[in-house]
Amino acid sequence: MEFKRAVLDVETSVTGYFWRDRGKDERLAIGYAQQLGLPEIVGRVLVNRDVTPDELQSYLDPRLKDLMPDPSSFVDMDKAAERIADAIRAGNKITIFGDYDVDGATSSSLLCRYIAAAGGQADFYIPDRMAEGYGPNLPALQKIAGAGADLIITVDCGISAFDVLDGAADQGIEVVVVDHHMAEPRLPKAVAVVNPNRLDCNSGQGKLAAVGVAFLLAVAVNRTLRGQGWFGNTRREPDLRHMLDLVALGTVCDVVPLHGLNRAFVTQGLKVLARRGNVGLGTLSDVARVNGPPGTYHAGFLLGPRVNAGGRVGRSDLGTQLMLTSDAQEAVGIAYELDRLNKERQAIEAEVLQQALEMAGRADPGPVAVIVGEGWHQGVIGIVASRLKEKLNRPAFVISLDGDQGKGSGRSIPGVDLGGAVTAARQAGLLINGGGHAMAAGLTVASDRVDELRTFFADRLRDKVETATAEKSKGVDGVVSVPALNLQLAQQLEMAGPYGAGNPEPRLAVSEARIVRADIVGEKHVRMILSDAGGQGRQNAIAFRAVETPLATTLLSHAEHRDPVHLLGYLRVDHFRGEARAQFVVDDAAAIM
């Protein structure tokens, strides 16, 4: 692979990375900066994300009306909308069967809210992770139907539940499948199967999270009901824009690319989230100490993990219940319970991660790390897989064995399609069940076939992993000095957001920074005050989860000896006690040669 010139001549940082210049077209970057009246670094960020001149305005101000597809472009969307509209008009009971992660919880909440607002009857069912596992199961569908549901809608699951949904159809249970995971040529038996990743769907929206598909389904149902004259003087048409906070949260937390429609969903949804119209999310924001206007960081790292906590180590339905309640007192109780469960999850995760890292360190894990433990808590294996992926710089699966079966969760790196590999493994007869998308997947495997599975993944993905990891580098958008790390620049960089999967947050290199002071806070983090080599400027900085790493050792040493050092990280707006200020988040450093 051809390397660009190393930024600040850093070919090997203290964490072992090459600092790669992301710069693509300097003249265009300068042109963007002049056109927008912004610093050149902002122009570089836009060019480095392949924003063309024709896309510039829509990129900076993504609007749904410009990017919304016709829901009818999805196969089976009209069929699903008509069946749901009929159920609403007839007063039939509709049950939403969701997944226990954030995407599933937001999808379930959105459809329940919409159906109720449209004058229908809806409730939800979230399976217990430990007792029932992922996706629909026949006993649950029978129970739901027995309780009076005339129609069941699966969200964020169902596309590979062939036997279960075949059995349900044979018993006369009507199901609409709404999913986004990779589909096979065979489809489950259902009234309708709405999934942009169906092989015969040409909507071009295969990167949507499930909650994005659910939102488009609500748009389609709304349009159908409007055409049937359902809304009028006595029944107001729901305003779906009020539900975009749910779409933004699910989209960010499912780590789908923030391009096109997803970018518009998140941009507009964060504005709705800031208005705190959803009682549950507003309360959870208080409990999670979300200060200032919510952004993708707050959604992905403060709200999302707490919504997830119920499904991981507590009651699976708590997140959905929180987002549906309009009772402030109930919201407070659920929010604090989710916060408590999140702390419990963190403790369990730390223990499993330590064991997994020890196992991974005993031998070369190969192109795909498959780490197996007996009795590991299934609620944390996905997070542990994500941590392993980051540390090992390769896709990672963590499998928890229980008797003759193992439940596994995997996380991938850009350029390696993990969901496709899991689907292929299932088709090859290596798995009991499994599915997912490019960056994340889950599976169930017989304990005595784990070694075969490890070999299968290695053979199938070796070349892709080698290509994706050939360059151990960190992309850099530009070089700045410490005095430039101010609030104005942080706010200007925010204009090119929201940032997330497929649209990385700008990473800046800071040349010749002097660490005026450094101390350890919260046991894991290094807090600093920076100046430039000449002592000019003062800037707050922090390195999260750095203690007992080479990065922390370097930062504390340079603070003690006061010699300058190159730093790498992200400039963010930090709302501290109601006051906006700039904070530089350090994720790497390099000695000055």
Side-chain angles (χ1 to χ4, degrees):
M1 179 177 293
E2 181 181 350
F3 288 92
K4 293 188 176 183
R5 182 184 63 82
V7 172
L8 296 176
D9 296 323
V10 177
E11 296 185 356
T12 305
S13 69
V14 298
T15 61
Y17 282 86
F18 178 97
W19 289 5
R20 171 176 48 84
D21 188 355
R22 281 180 178 151
K24 295 184 176 180
D25 187 332
E26 294 296 327
R27 293 182 62 185
L28 184 59
I30 293 171
Y32 281 175
Q34 292 174 343
Q35 180 180 341
L36 299 170
L38 295 172
E40 183 182 333
I41 185 65
V42 180
R44 287 174 60 93
V45 168
L46 295 168
V47 170
N48 294 349
R49 279 142 192 79
D50 297 316
V51 180
T52 67
D54 291 340
E55 297 170 335
L56 183 59
Q57 198 56 46
S58 64
Y59 183 89
L60 293 173
D61 183 24
R63 295 182 294 182
L64 282 174
K65 69 177 184 179
D66 298 327
L67 295 165
M68 276 282 288
D70 181 351
S72 297
S73 63
F74 289 66
V75 176
D76 272 6
M77 182 69 85
D78 291 341
K79 187 187 299 185
E82 289 169 7
R83 179 63 188 92
I84 296 167
D86 289 345
I88 291 173
R89 295 181 67 199
N92 295 154
K93 183 179 178 182
I94 304 171
T95 297
I96 313 301
F97 188 107
D99 187 19
Y100 33 63
D101 68 359
V102 181
D103 195 17
T106 51
S107 300
S108 301
S109 303
L110 187 149
L111 288 181
C112 281
R113 279 186 172 273
Y114 171 73
I115 291 168
Q121 297 184 55
D123 64 4
F124 67 94
Y125 184 96
I126 308 295
D128 182 272
R129 180 190 291 266
M130 304 299 291
E132 298 174 87
Y134 168 79
N137 62 87
L138 192 55
L141 298 183
Q142 292 169 329
K143 177 182 177 181
I144 293 168
D150 298 284
L151 179 65
I152 299 172
I153 306 172
T154 72
V155 289
D156 199 25
C157 59
I159 194 63
S160 60
F162 305 114
D163 294 342
V164 171
L165 294 184
D166 285 355
D170 292 343
Q171 296 180 29
I173 300 172
E174 290 194 271
V175 178
V176 169
V177 174
V178 180
D179 205 347
H180 72 131
H181 294 103
M182 296 303 297
E184 300 180 32
R186 177 188 175 189
L187 294 173
K189 191 180 294 184
V191 173
V193 178
V194 181
N195 184 337
N197 285 305
R198 281 179 58 156
L199 300 183
D200 59 347
C201 186
N202 298 314
S203 66
Q205 298 296 334
K207 302 300 184 182
L208 289 177
V211 71
V213 182
F215 182 83
L216 292 174
L217 174 62
V219 171
V221 175
N222 209 51
R223 183 173 63 184
T224 300
L225 289 171
R226 186 189 308 125
Q228 295 172 345
W230 179 245
F231 303 117
N233 294 331
T234 59
R235 186 180 294 109
R236 296 181 60 184
E237 183 173 329
D239 189 343
L240 284 162
R241 294 173 300 179
H242 294 163
M243 302 179 194
L244 286 171
D245 49 358
L246 299 172
V247 184
L249 179 60
T251 298
V252 169
C253 292
D254 215 52
V255 202
V256 293
L258 296 189
H259 299 155
L261 183 57
N262 282 337
R263 182 175 171 77
F265 275 150
V266 173
T267 300
Q268 303 306 326
L270 290 174
K271 296 176 184 177
V272 177
L273 184 61
R275 294 198 287 268
R276 301 169 67 95
N278 186 297
V279 173
L281 288 181
T283 304
L284 189 64
S285 297
D286 292 335
V287 172
R289 299 179 182 177
V290 175
N291 297 314
T296 53
Y297 169 79
H298 304 100
F301 294 96
L302 297 182
L303 300 180
R306 287 168 171 82
V307 172
N308 257 337
R312 293 190 184 281
V313 297
R315 277 178 42 201
S316 297
D317 64 349
L318 280 178
T320 304
Q321 188 176 335
L322 176 75
M323 290 182 281
L324 283 174
T325 188
S326 57
D327 184 300
Q329 186 172 352
E330 181 184 28
V332 169
I334 297 173
Y336 274 104
E337 175 65 3
L338 288 172
D339 187 62
R340 183 191 69 78
L341 290 171
N342 190 51
K343 292 183 175 69
E344 181 180 335
R345 184 271 305 169
Q346 290 171 328
I348 297 171
E349 174 199 328
E351 182 178 352
V352 174
L353 177 60
Q354 181 178 354
Q355 295 175 27
L357 285 170
E358 290 173 356
M359 292 181 182
R362 291 172 190 162
D364 181 3
V368 179
V370 179
I371 310 299
V372 184
E374 188 76 39
W376 283 343
H377 197 298
Q378 294 174 20
V380 304
I381 57 176
I383 306 174
V384 173
S386 181
R387 300 280 188 262
L388 285 175
K389 173 207 71 173
E390 294 168 0
K391 290 183 177 294
L392 301 176
N393 192 35
R394 71 194 69 194
F397 268 98
V398 176
I399 298 176
S400 173
L401 296 181
D402 182 9
D404 59 358
Q405 284 189 9
K407 294 289 182 68
S409 188
R411 299 294 184 269
S412 194
I413 58 177
V416 181
D417 182 355
L418 211 57
V422 168
T423 297
R426 183 159 56 81
Q427 292 173 334
L430 289 172
L431 300 177
I432 297 169
N433 198 4
H437 49 78
M439 299 302 290
L443 56 83
T444 304
V445 61
S447 300
D448 60 1
R449 306 205 71 178
V450 170
D451 289 340
E452 287 181 78
L453 182 66
R454 182 183 286 110
T455 301
F456 179 89
F457 284 149
D459 291 343
R460 182 180 179 87
L461 298 176
R462 179 176 284 105
D463 291 346
K464 293 287 187 183
V465 173
E466 288 179 355
T467 299
T469 60
E471 177 189 4
K472 189 179 179 184
S473 68
K474 292 185 176 182
V476 183
D477 287 292
V479 179
V480 296
S481 63
V482 171
L485 298 175
N486 53 46
L487 178 60
Q488 182 181 23
L489 179 58
Q491 292 171 330
Q492 290 167 331
L493 288 170
E494 277 192 342
M495 294 175 61
Y499 301 110
N503 185 39
E505 183 178 5
R507 186 186 271 125
L508 306 179
V510 181
S511 62
E512 299 187 17
R514 193 179 299 277
I515 303 175
V516 177
R517 190 179 75 193
D519 56 349
I520 296 174
V521 294
E523 298 182 0
K524 297 180 181 180
H525 318 306
V526 178
R527 180 176 58 189
M528 294 156 281
I529 294 178
L530 309 177
S531 74
D532 67 9
Q536 299 298 309
R538 284 291 188 274
Q539 175 56 49
N540 296 315
I542 192 165
F544 290 114
R545 295 185 298 275
V547 171
E548 297 183 358
T549 70
L551 177 59
T553 301
T554 297
L555 297 175
L556 295 171
S557 173
H558 279 76
E560 179 181 358
H561 299 292
R562 296 295 179 92
D563 47 339
V565 61
H566 296 320
L567 300 176
L568 196 66
Y570 309 95
L571 183 63
R572 296 173 180 162
V573 178
D574 178 40
H575 294 269
F576 181 71
R577 295 178 179 175
E579 180 180 353
R581 63 178 186 176
Q583 182 179 61
F584 189 65
V585 179
V586 177
D587 78 340
D588 205 353
I592 297 175
M593 306 304 291

